[in-house]
Amino acid sequence: MRVVSFSVPAWFPSYDAQVPPEAQLTEQESAVFLCLATGASNAELAAELQLSVSTVKFHVVNIRAKLGGISRLQACLLAALARQSGSTPPDDSLSGGGAAAGPR
């Protein structure tokens, strides 16, 4: 299993003061995280990533917890910042088009 680090900006509000500056996400969590930037629903993410809806929900809960208990909207904003800054490794599954990969 590959682990991917995402930096959380110091100015970003969090519910957990003990959150490390870098969140360690698994490879599958990072794929879900990057797709969150589109604002897609769990069903749309599941279709894009070829996962079940319950698996996507599981990963979203874990991502939110690892990022300090933030809301889904905050996770979407962080994912958009991560994509924009190019600080995340490229993921071929996200560049193939599809409902969740394109602009909304």
Side-chain angles (χ1 to χ4, degrees):
M1 172 179 13
R2 193 175 123 221
V3 177
V4 181
S5 295
F6 289 97
S7 297
V8 179
W11 54 264
F12 200 81
S14 176
Y15 298 112
D16 183 359
Q18 302 300 321
V19 176
E22 284 195 358
Q24 302 291 317
L25 303 180
T26 66
E27 192 169 350
Q28 203 163 46
E29 286 171 346
S30 67
V32 171
F33 175 70
L34 291 175
C35 279
L36 279 173
T38 65
S41 68
N42 287 339
E44 291 169 328
L45 293 174
E48 173 68 23
L49 298 170
Q50 298 179 350
L51 301 170
S52 71
V53 175
S54 61
T55 299
V56 170
K57 287 180 185 179
F58 176 79
H59 288 312
V60 170
V61 167
N62 287 343
I63 291 164
R64 290 178 55 209
K66 288 180 179 182
L67 294 174
I70 61 176
S71 70
R72 184 184 177 104
L73 177 59
Q74 289 174 311
C76 291
L77 293 172
L78 269 183
L81 285 172
R83 277 185 151 190
Q84 184 180 25
S85 70
S87 63
T88 59
D91 186 348
D92 294 337
S93 68
L94 298 176
S95 61
R104 299 188 102 226

